[in-house]
Amino acid sequence: MMSTDDEAAGNMMMFCASCGIAENDDVKLKKCACNLVRYCSVTCQRDHRSQHKKACKKRVAELRDELLFTQPESSHLGDCQICFLPLSIDLRKSTLMSCCSKTVCCGCEMASILHQKVNSGNPETKCPFCRKPPPCDLNGEVELNTMKRIEANDPAATRQKGMKCYNKGEYESAFKYLTKAAELGDYEAHYHLSRMYRDGRGVEQDSKKEKYHLEEAAIGGHPSARYTLGLYEARQFRFDRATKHWIISANLGCDESMDMIREFYSKGAVSKEDFAAALRAHQASVDATKSPQRERADEVNRMTNR
């Protein structure tokens, strides 16, 4: 049964909070950002602002925190496009294919290379996902293919182009591409935009925009962004919020966040139960990214890099 408060709130949503007109076929009410009231026009919303401002800002902040502190199902990297196991947050253990902009784990990439060499004897390997030969960097095929992917609104290719510009010191171009990638839903792009706003490269330094992009990346499951937010909250002496961030990040396999939880536990700022739960979740997240195929690839890579 609906409570009296819920019924009253429901009734409020049927009328404009400013002029009191009821919604009908000719009048459509639009929700305020706080989802507490609705208005029939921008004018009514503006007229009611002085009365509603305080409650609105409080509720918007509450809704933002609900979204921010929800545990993502996986990291921003998602799963390997071949084996569908979660990708490791260690970027050295996966490859962004330049032909199709799909990310493939090191195990599937190496298995594909070995399979092609054994069965065809052809030294020229093909992409394990799209089965096309990788574009040649010597004659500009990589750049040409990247631009085609960008024109098709591929967020990974757009972010990759932005990072290439950033590494060359072309910060204004980097900002343009990273902004577009972020608008297309790339959480890694949000993370790099936060760093640009922090350092003032290509844009003016802006701590509010830096934090906004960190939060967007964290909501999308970016462990490093979440870890950084924890440090920000700790510097503001908001330790409860800091530990929440680190626990969420540790649950995604972030070692740095696990180290911070361990340190705060030693100081009595994290309970034994929360520490134990974070340890288990962190290990489970790391184990989920392992497979015999990936371990063999890691071993070969270690031998090659010696």
Side-chain angles (χ1 to χ4, degrees), residues 85-86 253 280-291 294-295:
L85 290 176
R280 290 193 297 269
H282 174 266
Q283 189 60 52
S285 179
V286 172
D287 290 343
T289 66
K290 295 180 179 179
S291 72
R294 292 182 180 184
E295 289 176 2

Side-chain angles (χ1 to χ4, degrees), residues 76 89 191 214 221-229 249 254 256-257:
H76 66 296
I89 61 174
Y191 178 65
L214 277 176
H222 199 295
S224 296
R226 181 77 65 176
Y227 168 74
T228 305
L229 282 172
S249 180
C254 180
E256 293 82 2
S257 290

Side-chain angles (χ1 to χ4, degrees), residues 153-263:
N153 287 331
D154 186 312
T158 307
R159 181 239 307 153
Q160 187 181 33
K161 177 65 175 177
M163 290 311 301
K164 283 184 178 179
C165 292
Y166 183 89
N167 292 332
K168 290 179 182 178
E170 300 170 0
Y171 299 125
E172 290 185 5
S173 294
F175 179 76
K176 180 184 75 172
Y177 285 114
L178 289 172
T179 299
K180 181 180 178 181
E183 290 171 352
L184 292 170
D186 191 282
Y187 297 110
E188 186 74 26
H190 276 294
Y191 178 65
H192 289 296
L193 283 171
S194 74
R195 296 172 64 189
M196 294 187 75
Y197 278 112
R198 179 196 66 190
D199 301 332
R201 292 182 173 176
V203 291
E204 291 186 10
Q205 285 185 310
D206 191 320
S207 59
K208 288 185 178 180
K209 290 183 179 179
E210 174 199 355
K211 190 182 179 187
Y212 166 77
H213 284 291
L214 277 176
E215 288 183 350
E216 288 298 302
I219 289 168
H222 199 295
S224 296
R226 181 77 65 176
Y227 168 74
T228 305
L229 282 172
L231 295 178
Y232 172 85
E233 296 292 357
R235 287 195 291 269
Q236 304 298 317
F237 301 102
R238 296 194 286 257
F239 299 120
D240 285 347
R241 293 175 66 88
T243 52
K244 283 182 182 179
H245 281 304
W246 290 329
I247 288 173
I248 293 173
S249 180
N251 291 350
L252 296 173
C254 180
D255 293 337
E256 293 82 2
S257 290
M258 193 65 243
D259 290 341
M260 293 305 298
I261 295 170
R262 186 177 288 106
E263 180 180 336

Side-chain angles (χ1 to χ4, degrees), residues 9 13 31-38 52 56 59-60 63:
M13 296 295 282
K31 284 184 180 180
C32 179
C34 63
N35 290 337
L36 293 175
V37 295
R38 297 201 293 171
H52 181 57
C56 183
R59 183 53 183 158
V60 167
L63 290 172

Side-chain angles (χ1 to χ4, degrees), residues 28-44:
K28 299 298 180 183
L29 303 180
K30 293 185 178 181
K31 284 184 180 180
C32 179
C34 63
N35 290 337
L36 293 175
V37 295
R38 297 201 293 171
Y39 298 101
C40 65
S41 66
V42 176
T43 302
C44 275

Side-chain angles (χ1 to χ4, degrees), residues 6-160:
D6 291 338
E7 188 175 352
N11 290 335
M12 284 180 60
M13 296 295 282
M14 296 172 63
F15 301 92
C16 174
S18 180
C19 68
I21 190 171
E23 186 173 44
N24 54 55
D25 291 340
D26 298 323
V27 178
K28 299 298 180 183
L29 303 180
K30 293 185 178 181
K31 284 184 180 180
C32 179
C34 63
N35 290 337
L36 293 175
V37 295
R38 297 201 293 171
Y39 298 101
C40 65
S41 66
V42 176
T43 302
C44 275
Q45 186 173 12
R46 192 183 301 117
D47 292 343
H48 193 245
R49 180 64 176 164
S50 59
Q51 302 175 48
H52 181 57
K53 183 177 180 179
K54 186 175 180 180
C56 183
K57 289 182 70 174
K58 180 182 177 183
R59 183 53 183 158
V60 167
E62 290 172 351
L63 290 172
R64 181 67 173 177
D65 274 359
E66 286 178 15
L67 181 62
L68 182 61
F69 289 109
T70 298
Q71 178 71 52
E73 292 183 3
S74 65
S75 80
H76 66 296
L77 298 173
D79 299 337
C80 169
Q81 296 294 309
I82 305 296
C83 65
F84 299 109
L85 290 176
L87 288 167
S88 171
I89 61 174
D90 184 347
L91 298 181
R92 296 171 299 178
K93 297 185 177 184
S94 59
T95 303
L96 179 66
M97 311 309 295
S98 58
C99 46
C100 56
S101 299
K102 301 297 183 184
T103 303
V104 177
C105 73
C106 59
C108 289
E109 183 183 19
M110 184 162 293
S112 177
I113 292 171
L114 293 174
H115 176 77
Q116 292 175 57
K117 287 185 176 180
V118 169
N119 288 275
S120 66
N122 189 349
E124 182 182 14
T125 58
K126 297 180 180 180
C127 171
F129 183 82
C130 68
R131 301 299 182 183
K132 294 180 180 179
C136 179
D137 201 19
L138 296 176
N139 54 16
E141 285 184 11
V142 172
E143 181 68 16
L144 182 62
N145 188 71
T146 299
M147 295 311 297
K148 286 182 179 179
R149 301 296 305 174
I150 291 172
E151 289 174 8
N153 287 331
D154 186 312
T158 307
R159 181 239 307 153
Q160 187 181 33

